Amino acid sequence: MERSNKPAPISASGTGPQPNVHLEQGRAIARLPSGDSVEVLLYGATVISWKSNGKENIWVSDAAKLDGSKPVRGGIPIVFPCFGPPPKDHATGKLPQHGFGRNSHWEYLGSSSSESGALAKGGDDSIKLDFGLSHQQLSEDTKKAWPYEFGLVYSVTLAKDGLQTMLNVTNQGKEAFEFQMLLHSYWRVDDVTRCTVNGLGSATYIDKVLDAKEQQQSTPELRITGEVDRVYKSIKQDITSIVQDGKSRLDVQRDRIVDSVIWNPWIEKAKGMGDFEPNDGYKNMICVEVGAVDGWQKLEPGETFEGGQILKSHL
Ligand SMILES: O=P(O)(O)OC[C@H]1O[C@H](O)[C@H](O)[C@@H](O)[C@@H]1O
């Protein structure tokens, strides 16, 4: 792929209004003729806004730092190459919680207007933005802590019927490496207590709130009535939905990955995070995070992994 700091021209297939992309204040902003838009901060390649039908789908804390001084509290931070605090005896052991994907400066690789895939793409109705991160772009300290030659391409496709975010990982070096990845998506809801998370029935999960024991989801719906921090593994269903007041709010479809984390910090944890505002903002968000976090993905030299999510908003 040709690398450029400027948005690539979009091939116009029609004569009507075209999608447009511009770069400003360290972020790439794409807009469709319908008015739907997506905004991606180059810091962490963090999606910080996705609007459909004029309404925001994504929750970002009022106190989130958007200046590159710390990972964004909200949006879709990219967790790579380790999820949570890495095990000390693993190759990722010297990295911070959730790795370096979310706090590295990514390169904007350009945009294109059509691509085959799950969303109705092509022509005036979709636009794909690509972002890249590789070993060379890391700080010296991070390179030392995780010395592998990797290449990441993160593709964010805005289409009239949804958003797709895909992470592609390549081993560009001479030795194998292991990684985990997670798209730590914070979804905006009117009131989390009026929501259920559906589509997890019978999956097993690690409950990080209750002594990290393995449990099985016994009901088809998960109600959020307190702190939730669960790692669901090898989910058979493709789609996890957020349902609000009995109506579908957002469908999150896993694409080539099978794990998901459901997180809401609730009252005390929200208060304890300096960058979480307002304090009662936990009512307006729910994290449904797709990824590969159960064990490790191993890539031999030259091998590639791809996984991500296809999102449909019912706003
Ligand atoms: O505070 P952060 O490093 O952004 O992590 C926020 C949360 O991320 C995930 O959802 C983990 O499962 C949680 O245990 C963690 O608290």
Side-chain angles (χ1 to χ4, degrees):
M1 187 181 305
E2 200 176 304
R3 294 189 167 213
S4 140
N5 287 323
K6 294 206 180 88
I10 295 151
S11 52
S13 60
T15 49
Q18 299 295 312
N20 69 72
V21 183
H22 64 280
L23 287 181
E24 65 174 42
Q25 297 176 334
R27 53 189 84 172
I29 303 167
R31 204 176 301 279
L32 297 181
S34 63
D36 289 2
S37 63
V38 68
E39 215 171 305
V40 186
L41 206 60
L42 296 188
Y43 180 73
T46 316
V47 176
I48 51 170
S49 167
W50 167 37
K51 286 189 186 148
S52 47
N53 292 322
K55 294 186 191 127
E56 184 57 74
N57 290 294
I58 286 187
W59 185 87
V60 176
S61 161
D62 291 350
K65 298 277 181 224
L66 301 179
D67 60 358
S69 56
K70 66 179 293 197
V72 177
R73 176 66 62 201
I76 311 185
I78 298 173
V79 168
F80 178 89
C82 55
F83 164 61
K88 290 288 163 239
D89 58 353
H90 188 263
T92 53
K94 294 201 180 79
L95 293 174
Q97 154 129 327
H98 296 340
F100 53 74
R102 64 177 181 166
N103 57 5
S104 296
H105 288 273
W106 292 57
E107 184 183 2
Y108 175 58
L109 302 176
S111 67
S112 51
S113 68
S114 67
E115 177 95 349
S116 61
L119 296 171
K121 293 177 189 162
D124 311 343
D125 293 332
S126 79
I127 186 147
K128 177 160 82 81
L129 308 176
D130 289 318
F131 303 88
L133 182 71
S134 63
H135 176 78
Q136 291 71 25
Q137 288 157 258
L138 300 181
S139 68
E140 289 309 315
D141 285 351
T142 309
K143 278 183 194 162
K144 263 189 226 140
W146 201 71
Y148 300 96
E149 300 274 343
F150 69 95
L152 299 182
V153 176
Y154 186 52
S155 300
V156 176
T157 305
L158 174 67
K160 65 174 183 186
D161 61 342
L163 187 79
Q164 181 172 22
T165 77
M166 294 296 291
L167 186 69
N168 182 293
V169 186
T170 303
N171 184 343
Q172 300 175 337
K174 291 195 170 63
E175 53 176 329
F177 62 74
E178 290 186 326
F179 69 95
Q180 297 170 317
M181 57 75 66
L182 184 76
L183 304 178
H184 196 311
S185 314
Y186 291 70
W187 302 114
R188 174 173 284 278
V189 293
D190 291 340
D191 180 348
V192 77
T193 63
R194 299 188 342 240
C195 292
T196 57
V197 180
N198 295 20
L200 299 166
S202 81
T204 51
Y205 63 90
I206 300 289
D207 194 323
K208 290 169 79 176
V209 177
L210 293 178
D211 61 19
K213 275 210 186 122
E214 195 164 287
Q215 319 264 344
Q216 189 169 29
Q217 178 70 36
S218 53
T219 56
E221 298 179 345
L222 170 65
R223 229 162 246 294
I224 314 295
T225 53
E227 185 187 353
V228 183
D229 191 355
R230 296 182 177 186
V231 184
Y232 286 86
K233 309 192 289 185
S234 305
I235 304 162
K236 291 198 181 60
Q237 300 90 324
D238 289 338
I239 298 180
T240 301
S241 301
I242 299 171
V243 174
Q244 184 168 276
D245 297 326
K247 281 186 253 146
S248 277
R249 163 71 189 80
L250 182 85
D251 295 333
V252 179
Q253 182 179 345
R254 281 169 292 278
D255 194 352
R256 284 168 262 184
I257 43 182
V258 290
D259 305 328
S260 277
V261 177
I262 310 294
W263 183 61
N264 183 292
W266 211 250
I267 303 167
E268 292 310 318
K269 282 253 167 79
K271 272 193 208 150
M273 286 183 271
D275 60 354
F276 195 105
E277 276 184 22
N279 276 347
D280 64 358
Y282 71 90
K283 287 185 188 155
N284 301 114
M285 52 76 61
I286 175 79
C287 286
V288 176
E289 317 162 22
V290 303
V293 292
D294 180 26
W296 298 88
Q297 302 295 314
K298 187 169 185 180
L299 278 186
E300 298 292 340
E303 282 184 348
T304 290
F305 161 101
E306 190 165 43
Q309 59 186 351
I310 298 160
L311 306 157
K312 298 230 162 123
S313 169
H314 298 286
L315 277 177

